[in-house]
């Protein structure tokens, strides 16, 4: 039996971490997932994590950069069950999932192994049926197709997701934030922050930060007038426009604009606009040392009290509490 997946309890041995490479995987995403663990070992002065590079067979695995790596072991050669198994795969996946890999992943899941998907690795886990009922994310370009193909997975648009004994991320540098967060959960925040400083990072991004998705991709086949409305909102955060002013700029009626927002965004324009402003405020609270009052003005709030009330109603904490947790 494993201890609680993200407990800081001492196991008495290094956590065994396996990383399966599938053809076309991203070297960047793989390095971002594994190197924080290597640095954690170095900074702790002891081996907290024991890494194993794995392949489906004994052959080299080619990356998307056309650099081939030779895995240290085959998945059927592991002499011990890993504590954490990461699947590094391209997104979108090419071809079908090897039956042996799917069965192996299901067996590990039954054994209580923590499973992680890096970029397209999330889709590998979904195909194997080990993400059903879990929150999960993957590169934003695959959101629509993934939601259609895997309705039992609770798709998230976040940077990364850690849901019970499953980890998934949008690939690239999001893998680094996810793994540093994991290090903090298992060995304390000071070590995670030291790893972040080693990589000359300003901070560890939080899980609930959204992946950047181009506006046209976010809104799909929505009418151009709706896309123009959201573009206007994003360009006028400090001095918000009224719904009437937005409609006038677009040359449509206020009622037409409200219908578009309800149909495609499930919100009235004013509520959607408020969410944009509060998300920008949250970013500033987390990433800058500006005074709360200054941030309130920069995001279109006429008073600190109004800002604090709106922020608490939306995020469940005040701006000052947000800054203390950042």
């Amino acid at each position: 039996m494993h201890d609680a997946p993200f407990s800081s309890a001492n196991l008495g041995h290094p956590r065994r971490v396996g990383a399966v490479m599938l053809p076309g995987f991203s070297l960047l995403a793989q390095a971002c997932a594994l190197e924080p663990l290597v640095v954690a070992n170095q900074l702790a002065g002891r081996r907290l994590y024991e890494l194993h590079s794995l392949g489906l067979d004994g052959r080299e695995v080619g990356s998307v950069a056309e650099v081939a790596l030779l895995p240290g072991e085959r998945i059927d050669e592991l002499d011990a069950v890993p504590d954490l198994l990461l699947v590094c795969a391209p997104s979108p996946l090419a071809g079908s999932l090897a039956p042996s890999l799917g069965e192996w992943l299901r067996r590990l899941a039954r054994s209580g192994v923590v499973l992680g998907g890096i970029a397209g690795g999330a889709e590998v886990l979904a195909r194997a049926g080990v993400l059903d009922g879990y929150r999960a994310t993957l590169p934003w370009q695959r959101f629509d197709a993934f939601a259609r193909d895997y309705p039992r997975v609770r798709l998230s648009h976040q940077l990364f997701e850690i849901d019970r004994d499953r980890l998934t991320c949008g690939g690239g540098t999001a893998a680094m934030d996810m793994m540093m967060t994991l290090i903090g959960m298992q060995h304390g925040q000071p070590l995670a922050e030291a790893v972040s400083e080693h990589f000359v990072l300003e901070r560890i991004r939080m899980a609930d930060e959204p992946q950047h998705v181009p506006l046209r991709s976010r809104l799909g086949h929505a009418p151009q007038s709706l896309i123009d409305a959201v573009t206007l909102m994003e360009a006028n955060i400090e001095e918000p426009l009224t719904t009437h002013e937005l409609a006038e700029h677009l040359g449509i009626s206020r009622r037409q604009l409200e219908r578009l927002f309800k149909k495609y965004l499930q919100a009235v324009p004013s509520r959607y606009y408020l969410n944009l402003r509060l998300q920008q405020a949250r970013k500033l609270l987390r990433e800058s040392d500006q005074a709360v009052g200054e941030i309130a003005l920069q995001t279109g709030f006429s008073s600190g009290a109004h800002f604090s009330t709106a922020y608490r109603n939306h995020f469940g904490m005040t701006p000052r509490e947000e800054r203390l947790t950042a």
Side-chain angles (χ1 to χ4, degrees):
M1 291 291 292
H2 297 268
D3 66 325
F6 310 119
S7 158
S8 60
N10 184 6
L11 294 178
H13 63 76
R15 282 183 167 86
R16 293 179 293 271
V17 179
V20 180
M21 298 177 288
L22 298 185
F25 74 98
S26 164
L27 285 170
L28 172 64
Q30 186 213 37
C32 285
L34 298 182
E35 291 203 20
L37 305 180
V38 175
V39 172
N41 288 345
Q42 294 170 351
L43 296 178
R46 60 191 178 96
R47 195 164 60 159
L48 305 175
Y49 300 97
E50 176 184 294
L51 305 185
H52 299 264
S53 63
L54 306 172
L56 302 184
D57 50 43
R59 293 176 294 182
E60 290 184 334
V61 182
S63 70
V64 68
E66 299 184 357
V67 174
L69 298 182
L70 182 63
E73 300 167 84
R74 294 165 41 145
I75 62 172
D76 57 0
E77 291 178 339
L78 272 179
D79 57 3
V81 175
D83 297 289
L84 167 63
L85 188 283
L86 300 173
V87 180
C88 304
S91 181
L93 293 178
S96 59
L97 186 66
S100 59
L101 176 59
E103 176 52 42
W104 184 60
L105 291 172
R106 288 187 288 273
R107 188 164 62 250
L108 291 180
R110 291 192 295 269
S111 299
V113 173
V114 179
L115 300 177
I118 307 298
E123 197 157 354
V124 173
L125 299 181
R127 285 193 189 182
V130 296
L131 275 185
D132 290 357
Y134 285 89
R135 291 191 314 275
T137 192
L138 76 166
W140 64 263
Q141 296 92 336
R142 292 289 294 164
F143 282 168
D144 291 343
F146 187 91
R148 181 185 65 246
D149 294 341
Y150 307 103
R152 294 184 179 179
V153 181
R154 297 163 57 193
L155 178 63
S156 159
H157 291 191
Q158 294 189 170
L159 199 64
F160 62 90
E161 280 286 355
I162 298 179
D163 183 8
R164 291 163 287 168
D165 50 1
R166 297 290 184 272
L167 298 79
T168 51
C169 70
T173 58
M176 181 172 284
D177 296 286
M178 181 175 75
M179 298 310 292
M180 291 190 296
T181 298
L182 181 65
I183 290 167
M185 296 170 77
Q186 293 179 331
H187 297 288
Q189 193 60 23
L191 178 59
E193 291 173 356
V195 173
S196 177
E197 290 176 2
H198 176 91
F199 289 110
V200 200
L201 297 174
E202 182 182 355
R203 66 188 181 92
I204 302 172
R205 289 179 294 176
M206 300 179 73
D208 60 3
E209 297 188 34
Q211 296 184 38
H212 174 72
V213 184
L215 186 59
R216 168 55 76 179
S217 297
R218 294 204 308 265
L219 299 183
H221 302 292
Q224 186 62 43
S225 54
L226 178 61
I227 293 173
D228 291 343
V230 175
T231 301
L232 278 170
M233 288 177 173
E234 292 178 341
N236 292 274
I237 295 293
E238 187 169 350
E239 297 183 6
L241 302 170
T242 66
T243 302
H244 180 71
E245 289 171 331
L246 285 167
E248 280 193 333
H249 277 292
L250 299 169
I252 62 176
S253 71
R254 174 173 179 157
R255 183 167 295 181
Q256 283 177 297
L257 184 61
E258 290 174 341
R259 279 201 297 264
L260 288 174
F261 270 82
K262 287 179 182 178
K263 179 177 180 180
Y264 292 96
L265 297 172
Q266 295 76 54
V268 297
S270 58
R271 175 59 58 181
Y272 186 87
Y273 208 168
L274 177 61
N275 178 63
L276 284 179
R277 292 160 54 207
L278 289 170
Q279 290 292 347
Q280 176 64 12
R282 189 180 217 185
K283 186 173 187 294
L284 291 172
L285 285 166
R286 290 177 171 180
E287 298 181 10
S288 77
D289 57 1
Q290 295 181 67
V292 172
E294 292 177 3
I295 292 174
L297 293 175
Q298 285 187 32
T299 51
F301 293 92
S302 58
S303 72
H306 180 206
F307 174 51
S308 182
T309 299
Y311 200 96
R312 184 178 63 250
N313 290 341
H314 191 78
F315 293 117
M317 63 176 69
T318 67
R320 296 186 190 283
E321 289 170 339
E322 178 75 72
R323 177 153 275 171
L324 289 174
T325 62

